[in-house]
């Protein structure tokens, strides 16, 4: 089913599931279970080409095919293809191994199939060149080609009939018209530019298959024209290829396919995995596609207001006692599509809506509203995420504060324990120091008491010695010493300028003598008492 352009009135892009076994028939069209048709998957050389007198299919090697072609041309009294020239040891023209040498003899080819040196003694032979046997050769009516297992050669015979050569080759000569190798195709790799995707417009989605056309350019009254000679297909596993010839549809399974019949046209690839095809509704009436006509008619019947109230593909805003718009649309479209498809031998199993688009100003307004809703949702999500991050951050800070508080408490407990131990140590130290000071004080007191007793005893001894000394002094001596002391003191009081004189010589001399005696006795007494006191202290 072909794709169309959506409109504001028909904004539905449905998907229709169809079966792959197209077996029913009707008066309008018939579906065949892929029998063999002429010009479809003809990988062998046609018998009409094999009957050509100068066409030799390669069975062993291309050199052997050239030998066989030379034998046929000699048998038909035609000119010799392989030259009679002998190989020379040096000089002349060299033909390498794997090549053939070609001379032009009156517009016809004369070749040398063996490598070596060749001398040309004929004036009618003109050297054309050497050609590699593994590449197609098209020279002076001589045509050769060799293809591998995955390759296919598209060839035109002298009657312009197209045939395909795969995993083989041939050598041919066309005296009247020639065989022409148009192209060599790798059937396992048709190229990315020939891929067909699910979304044809955007070329995206899964690849349904590959299709490559082989064309030639012909001259016509309208100028150069491209003509398709053959079409190659590569169908992946679990996919099918649908062709049409007249009113018949052909389903070809996965693999490599080729068509050379111009009456056979390509309709499309179909995946067996989902068995569905997509198309958009179109506003124009009548539509060439009956399926699109059925969908458009359903869209026009249903309430547009209910469609606008549908919020998403997954569900609608429910109406009381009424079926949702989307379910009504699916049901009616499936019924109408089944009626349309049965005439083509197609069974529609399911119908679904993939997308709802509105074009024009209304579509742009709805798109802006959708973007705004999405933006609000994103902002709400971001705000929620930020709040979550902030909450987690605060929780982390609280946990950190709790850990720090526990650490501080542990440090305080440790400090308290250390301080307690330190206080106990200081207490014991003070106690010991007090005990030591008390003991020291007791010892010091005891020593001082002993010293006082010793001093008192010494004083007593001193008094006794003085008393004894005083007792031993002669009578009258003490009075004289006292008087002498008074005399000395008296003289100390008088000024230094005092002049002393005596009243009589006898009395003066006696007084002086007595004074000296008195002073000497007093000094002797004091010296004796001092020595006695020192001896007592010791």
């Amino acid at each position: 089913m072909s794709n169309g352009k959506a409109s504001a009135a028909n904004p539905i892009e449905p998907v229709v599931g169809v079966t792959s076994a197209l077996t029913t028939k009707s008066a309008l069209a018939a579906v065949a279970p892929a029998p063999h048709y002429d010009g479809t998957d003809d990988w062998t050389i046609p018998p009409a080409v094999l009957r050509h007198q100068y066409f030799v299919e390669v069975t062993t090697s291309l050199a052997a095919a050239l030998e066989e072609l030379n034998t046929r041309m000699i048998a038909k009294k035609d000119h010799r293809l392989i030259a009679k020239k002998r190989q020379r040891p040096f000089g002349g023209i060299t033909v390498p191994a794997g090549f053939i040498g070609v001379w032009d003899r009156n517009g016809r080819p004369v070749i040398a199939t063996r490598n070596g040196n060749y001398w040309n003694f004929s004036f009618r032979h003109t050297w054309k060149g050497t050609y590699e046997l593994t590449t197609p050769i098209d020279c002076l009516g001589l045509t050769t080609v060799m293809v591998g297992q995955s390759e296919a050669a598209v060839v035109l015979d002298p009657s312009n009939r197209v045939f395909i050569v795969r995993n083989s080759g041939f050598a041919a000569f066309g005296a009247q018209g020639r065989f022409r190798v148009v192209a060599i195709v790798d059937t396992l790799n048709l190229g990315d530019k020939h891929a067909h995707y699910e979304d044809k417009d955007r070329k995206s989605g899964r690849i349904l298959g590959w299709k490559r056309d082989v064309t030639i350019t012909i001259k016509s009254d309208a100028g150069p024209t491209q003509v398709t000679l053959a079409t190659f297909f590569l169908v992946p596993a679990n996919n099918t290829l649908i062709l049409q010839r007249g009113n018949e549809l052909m389903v070809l399974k996965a693999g490599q396919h080729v068509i050379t019949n111009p009456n056979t046209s390509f309709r499309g690839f179909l995946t067996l995995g989902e068995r569905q095809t997509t198309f958009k509704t179109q506003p124009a009436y009548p539509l060439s596609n009956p399926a699109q006509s059925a969908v458009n008619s359903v869209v026009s019947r249903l309430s547009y207001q209910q469609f606008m109230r549908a919020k998403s593909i997954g569900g609608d805003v429910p109406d009381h006692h009424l079926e949702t718009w989307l379910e009504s649309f699916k049901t009616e479209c499936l019924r109408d599509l089944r009626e349309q498809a049965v005439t083509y031998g197609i069974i529609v199993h399911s119908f679904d809506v993939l997308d709802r688009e509105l074009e024009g100003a209304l579509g742009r307004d709805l798109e802006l509203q959708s973007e705004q809703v999405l933006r609000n949702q994103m902002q709400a999500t971001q705000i929620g995420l930020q709040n979550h991050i902030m909450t987690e951050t605060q929780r982390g800070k609280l946990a950190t504060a709790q850990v720090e508080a526990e650490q501080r408490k542990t440090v305080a407990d440790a400090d308290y324990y250390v301080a307690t131990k330190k206080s106990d140590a200081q207490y014991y130290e003070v106690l010991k120091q007090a005990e030591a000071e008390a003991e020291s004080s007791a010892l010091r007191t005891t020593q001082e008491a002993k010293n006082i007793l010793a001093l008192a005893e010494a004083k007593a001894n001193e008094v006794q010695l003085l008393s004894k000394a005083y007792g031993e002094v002669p009578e009258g001596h003490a009075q004289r010493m006292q008087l002498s002391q008074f005399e000395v003191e008296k003289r100390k009081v008088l000024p230094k300028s005092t002049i002393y004189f005596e009243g009589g010589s006898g009395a003066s001399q006696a007084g002086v003598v007595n004074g000296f005696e008195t002073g000497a006795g007093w000094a002797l007494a004091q010296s004796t008492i001092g020595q006695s006191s020192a001896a007592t202290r010791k």
Side-chain angles (χ1 to χ4, degrees):
M1 302 177 184
S2 60
N3 290 336
K5 185 178 180 181
S7 65
N10 300 289
I12 307 302
E13 183 181 355
V15 55
V16 181
V18 300
T19 59
S20 60
L22 308 177
T23 57
T24 61
K25 294 185 178 180
S26 67
L28 295 178
V31 179
H36 178 72
Y37 285 86
D38 183 27
T40 302
D41 287 346
D42 289 334
W43 300 103
T44 58
I45 300 174
V49 176
L50 292 175
R51 289 194 296 266
H52 192 279
Q53 59 179 353
Y54 292 152
F55 183 91
V56 179
E57 185 178 8
V58 175
T59 56
T60 57
S61 65
L62 185 56
L66 291 172
E67 293 286 349
E68 175 64 22
L69 179 59
N70 181 61
T71 302
R72 291 186 184 183
M73 294 176 68
I74 293 174
K76 293 292 184 178
K77 306 297 183 181
D78 209 332
H79 78 285
R80 176 183 290 273
L81 178 64
I82 299 178
K84 294 182 179 181
K85 301 179 186 296
R86 293 184 300 171
Q87 296 168 297
R88 304 294 180 174
F90 60 90
I93 296 172
T94 302
V95 177
F99 289 75
I100 63 171
V102 181
W103 287 270
D104 182 358
R105 181 180 180 273
N106 298 332
R108 291 184 172 225
V110 176
I111 66 174
T113 58
R114 297 180 180 180
N115 61 303
N117 296 332
Y118 293 91
W119 295 351
N120 183 17
F121 295 104
S122 176
F123 293 101
R124 293 186 297 177
H125 290 183
T126 303
W127 175 249
K128 293 291 294 182
T130 57
Y131 297 87
E132 189 175 0
L133 291 175
T134 56
T135 59
I137 299 175
D138 188 357
C139 179
L140 301 175
L142 175 65
T143 304
T144 65
V145 67
M146 283 286 295
V147 290
Q149 293 181 353
S150 64
E151 295 177 329
V154 182
V155 186
L156 281 174
D157 69 355
S159 301
N160 281 340
R161 291 174 296 188
V162 181
F163 64 95
I164 307 298
V165 178
R166 183 171 71 170
N167 195 24
S168 182
F170 68 88
F173 176 73
Q176 298 176 353
R178 62 187 176 91
F179 290 87
R180 179 182 176 186
V181 179
V182 179
I184 295 179
V185 178
D186 184 358
T187 59
L188 297 180
N189 184 14
L190 298 182
D192 294 337
K193 66 179 181 179
H194 301 291
H196 282 236
Y197 298 87
E198 286 182 329
D199 191 341
K200 296 180 180 180
D201 297 333
R202 300 179 182 177
K203 292 185 178 181
S204 60
R206 291 180 300 178
I207 296 179
L208 301 178
W210 289 264
K211 171 180 173 286
R212 177 181 175 182
D213 295 325
V214 177
T215 61
I216 61 171
T217 303
I218 62 173
K219 295 180 180 180
S220 62
D221 297 338
T225 304
Q226 292 285 335
V227 177
T228 301
L229 298 181
T231 303
F232 290 86
F233 301 95
L234 181 59
V235 184
N238 209 30
N239 287 2
T240 58
L241 169 65
I242 299 183
L243 304 176
Q244 181 177 358
R245 180 175 294 179
N247 291 330
E248 297 178 345
L249 293 179
M250 296 178 291
V251 179
L252 302 182
K253 62 181 182 180
Q256 306 165 31
H257 303 281
V258 62
I259 57 174
T260 55
N261 193 327
N263 295 326
T264 304
S265 60
F266 168 71
R267 293 303 304 270
F269 294 99
L270 182 65
T271 174
L272 296 178
E274 297 181 359
R275 302 183 182 183
Q276 65 183 17
T277 183
T278 61
F279 58 89
K280 293 184 178 180
T281 58
Q282 294 179 346
Y285 293 94
L287 296 177
S288 59
N289 194 321
Q292 292 180 341
S293 300
V295 174
N296 280 0
S297 64
V298 174
V299 172
S300 62
R301 292 198 304 267
L302 295 179
S303 170
Y304 183 75
Q305 183 179 3
Q306 289 183 344
F307 167 77
M308 292 302 299
R309 293 179 62 185
K311 297 300 182 182
S312 64
I313 295 178
D316 297 336
V317 177
D319 293 331
H320 295 289
H321 308 294
L322 292 176
E323 189 180 8
T324 61
W325 185 92
L326 191 59
E327 295 300 327
S328 300
F329 178 74
K330 291 179 182 179
T331 303
E332 295 191 24
C333 283
L334 181 60
R335 183 180 64 251
D336 291 1
L337 285 173
R338 282 177 175 173
E339 294 177 358
Q340 294 284 347
V342 70
T343 60
Y344 292 90
I346 299 174
I347 301 175
V348 180
H349 287 289
S350 63
F351 177 87
D352 200 356
V353 177
L354 297 181
D355 193 9
R356 284 177 282 184
E357 298 176 356
L358 291 176
E359 295 185 351
L362 179 60
R364 289 192 295 271
D365 293 341
L366 292 178
E367 184 177 358
L368 292 177
Q369 294 178 8
S370 301
E371 291 180 356
Q372 184 63 33
V373 171
L374 181 60
R375 189 179 298 108
N376 294 338
Q377 292 177 353
M378 292 178 63
Q379 291 178 355
T381 302
Q382 291 178 354
I383 293 174
L385 181 60
Q386 292 176 357
N387 292 336
H388 178 71
I389 293 174
M390 293 176 62
T391 303
E392 293 298 327
T393 302
Q394 293 298 328
R395 289 179 180 176
K397 290 181 179 179
L398 179 59
T400 303
Q402 292 177 351
V403 172
E404 291 177 352
E406 292 293 333
Q407 291 178 351
R408 289 195 294 269
K409 181 179 178 182
T410 302
V411 172
D413 293 341
D415 293 341
Y416 173 76
Y417 178 78
V418 172
T420 302
K421 293 295 183 181
K422 187 175 181 181
S423 299
D424 293 343
Q426 291 177 353
Y427 169 75
Y428 287 116
E429 184 178 357
V430 171
L431 183 61
K432 290 180 180 181
Q433 185 176 1
E435 292 178 352
E437 289 180 355
E439 185 178 359
S440 176
S441 178
L443 293 175
R444 187 167 54 253
T445 302
T446 303
Q447 185 65 36
E448 288 178 354
K450 291 180 178 180
N451 292 336
I452 291 172
L453 291 176
L455 181 59
E457 185 178 359
K459 287 288 183 181
N461 292 332
E462 181 181 0
V463 171
Q464 291 178 359
L465 290 175
L466 287 175
S467 298
K468 184 179 181 181
Y470 288 153
E472 292 178 356
V473 174
E475 185 179 356
H477 178 72
Q479 185 177 8
R480 289 193 300 271
M481 291 180 63
Q482 185 69 33
L483 292 175
S484 298
Q485 185 177 2
F486 288 158
E487 188 67 22
V488 173
E489 293 292 333
K490 183 180 68 175
R491 292 184 178 184
K492 287 182 178 180
V493 173
L494 294 177
K496 296 181 178 181
S497 61
T498 302
I499 301 174
Y500 298 93
F501 62 92
E502 56 184 357
S505 58
S508 300
Q509 292 179 352
V512 173
V513 171
N514 291 332
F516 278 108
E517 289 178 354
T518 301
W522 180 255
L524 177 63
Q526 286 184 344
S527 175
T528 303
I529 291 172
Q531 291 177 358
S532 298
S533 299
T536 301
R537 289 188 185 96
K538 292 181 181 179

